[in-house]
Amino acid sequence: MNRKSAPSPPASVHPITDQDLHEVGLARAQHWPPRIPADQWAMAWRATVNLPGSSAPNHGFLLRADDRVVGAYLAIYSTRSINGHLERFCNLYDWFTVPEYRTHSLSMVRAIVGQRDVTFTDLTPIEPVQKLNLRLGFSYLETAAAAIPHLPWIGLARARISADPAVIASTLSGDVRTYFEDHLDCHRSRHLVLIRGDQSCYVIWSRHRIKRIPLFVSIQYISNPSLFRESIGSLARYFLLRQGTVATIVEDRLTAGRIHPSVRMPRSRQRMFRSSTVSPDGIDYLYSEITFAP
């Protein structure tokens, strides 16, 4: 005879406020590695996502039972200008629930994606979350990527490259300068600017090693894909000689087309979004766990 599992104890869903972050950090540290001290985690989160002028309505939603936090779905919000229109973004970041309250998990999902006039991104969903997202109207982003070898002779166009924050800030303007300033202190991101004539290209990147494979570069954001493609030789030399890396891995969608010479990479990560106003071309990885999370 099949026995029905016992129902979870009662729980309620609430928006996460600044005052809730310490409690969320405690619950997260107990049930979600790495075990970062709650105060340290809450301070880092608050300092990172509460930017000047931020209009984030919450930090996501939490699940509370018996006056304690038993789950949370954290989110990073931003307002971006896309094709001349201001668009609100919500990046779904960290979702956890204490085991005995798992049947209430979907109530947090319904609360967070039930917010209106928002473009949602979920950029690192595991397979069960992908299936749930599809039922909620999310679509996959195209994530085909290529590895560009750091051959110092490739590419003819030359560009000046600087990683000096003062040079980057003085070179950039408008929204792109704001992106740089907002992401500057995020530990997952490294920054540089390509300069050629009166053109510039802001690049967010990180350095990785996979087991015994030598160091390589992963690109997360490109402000000027055309200049990036034209200056790939200068960038390859910079990464080879200054950073000791052997290749750059970048998604075709970030460069507006595949760069040659390059080697096609196997798909290793699914990324998803849901929007009624923003097309896939308007989705990037700013203000997300990829570039921005504390």
Side-chain angles (χ1 to χ4, degrees), residues 4-12 63-66 68 70 97-107:
K4 293 182 179 180
S5 59
S8 296
S12 55
L63 198 62
R64 189 177 291 279
D66 295 327
R68 66 188 180 99
V70 295
T97 312
V98 174
E100 58 265 36
Y101 291 91
R102 289 277 166 82
T103 59
H104 294 292
S105 292
L106 288 181
S107 60

Side-chain angles (χ1 to χ4, degrees), residues 20-31:
D20 297 316
L21 287 175
H22 177 74
E23 279 189 274
V24 172
L26 283 175
R28 188 176 184 273
Q30 292 170 1
H31 301 281

Side-chain angles (χ1 to χ4, degrees), residues 201-220:
C201 175
Y202 169 46
V203 178
I204 298 179
W205 64 281
S206 58
R207 188 166 56 181
H208 300 276
R209 183 192 301 273
I210 299 179
K211 296 182 179 180
R212 296 183 180 180
I213 299 176
L215 286 170
F216 66 92
V217 168
S218 175
I219 303 293
Q220 283 87 43

Side-chain angles (χ1 to χ4, degrees), residues 61 73 90 92 108-116 118 120 133 136 138 274:
F61 288 80
Y73 205 154
C90 175
L92 305 179
M108 290 188 290
V109 178
R110 286 192 290 268
I112 201 166
V113 302
Q115 299 175 103
R116 301 183 62 182
V118 177
F120 295 95
N133 284 347
L136 293 171
F138 281 70
R274 191 184 84 175

